[in-house]
Amino acid sequence: MFKYGLYEVFKDAYMNLAGEDLSNKYKPAIWLAGSASAEVFADIALCPFEMTKVKIQTSPTGTFPTAFGAAIREMSRTKIPYTMAKFFFFEKIVQLFYTHVFTEPKETYGKGTQLGITFASGYLAGVVCAIVSHPADSLVSQLGKVENKGKSVGTIAKEVGVVSLATKGLGTRVIMIGTLTGFQWWIYDTFKASMGMGTTGGK
């Protein structure tokens, strides 16, 4: 539905945007742009199911549900708080930007500036979430290793060390999640702005 359905939507939108002459001249480019745009949304829709599949396959026996329905519920239980934190920090950081840095009324700033604030706020919110969630994610990665099979969470944490769990690979994770979160919010607010709804957050 997302990949093929949205491909038609994006293809039509880009053809209308380019006009008849350019559409005929650059059809392959429009096909590529339409398919790439659709795949972004298809990947977002697929991601929760893909993550659940990986967790079912890699979690040590008894630590995670193997039935798909139960596994989806467990993923929801653990991912929803993360998403709540990401949205909370985004809204708070946007508010701080408009209160302490860009102190004029929000509507006086151009869309480019507002979307820049959106990206920066999304990036920083992603960084905060990356730091907070990194120890748990590191522990999950350790649980999937063959040499740790059968070990308890407490044993692995003790062997690896709390500092290592909290810091090893953190730089890469911060860049990845910060960038992804920033672009997710930027894309969302760009769409909202193009529909005349304005960007998210503010005073």
Side-chain angles (χ1 to χ4, degrees):
M1 180 180 70
F2 280 91
K3 181 179 289 188
Y4 295 98
L6 287 180
Y7 171 65
E8 296 298 333
V9 171
F10 280 114
K11 183 175 68 172
D12 184 63
Y14 294 152
M15 288 176 71
N16 289 334
L17 188 66
E20 186 176 355
D21 291 340
L22 288 176
S23 293
N24 290 329
K25 187 176 181 180
Y26 297 108
K27 272 187 179 179
I30 290 175
W31 296 337
L32 289 170
S35 60
S37 299
E39 181 64 21
V40 169
F41 290 92
D43 286 349
I44 292 170
L46 175 66
C47 189
F49 300 100
E50 188 69 23
M51 288 180 67
T52 301
K53 178 180 76 74
V54 171
K55 286 283 288 182
I56 290 172
Q57 292 173 331
T58 61
S59 295
T61 303
T63 64
F64 194 81
T66 55
F68 193 72
I72 284 285
R73 288 192 293 273
E74 179 66 13
M75 288 295 290
S76 297
R77 185 184 69 80
T78 55
K79 292 299 288 184
I80 288 173
Y82 174 84
T83 300
M84 290 170 65
K86 183 166 66 174
F87 277 64
F88 170 80
F89 284 118
F90 170 80
E91 292 280 6
K92 190 64 180 177
I93 293 167
V94 169
Q95 186 181 59
L96 291 172
F97 266 122
Y98 282 115
T99 301
H100 299 291
V101 183
F102 297 88
T103 55
E104 297 299 320
K106 179 181 174 180
E107 59 272 13
T108 64
Y109 296 104
K111 293 301 179 189
T113 300
Q114 290 186 37
L115 290 172
I117 292 169
T118 290
F119 178 81
S121 300
Y123 189 95
L124 292 172
V127 168
V128 172
C129 287
I131 293 170
V132 171
S133 64
H134 189 67
D137 284 340
S138 296
L139 195 54
V140 169
S141 297
Q142 290 292 330
L143 283 169
K145 292 184 176 180
V146 176
E147 60 267 28
N148 290 327
K149 186 176 181 179
K151 293 182 181 178
S152 68
V153 170
T155 300
I156 295 172
K158 186 176 180 180
E159 290 177 355
V160 176
V162 175
V163 174
S164 181
L165 287 174
T167 59
K168 189 175 181 179
L170 180 60
T172 302
R173 182 174 171 80
V174 161
I175 293 171
M176 181 186 74
I177 294 182
T179 303
L180 286 174
T181 305
F183 273 118
Q184 285 171 355
W185 275 109
W186 182 84
I187 290 168
Y188 176 62
D189 266 4
T190 297
F191 174 76
K192 285 180 65 179
S194 69
M195 295 291 105
M197 293 183 283
T199 55
T200 306
K203 292 181 180 179

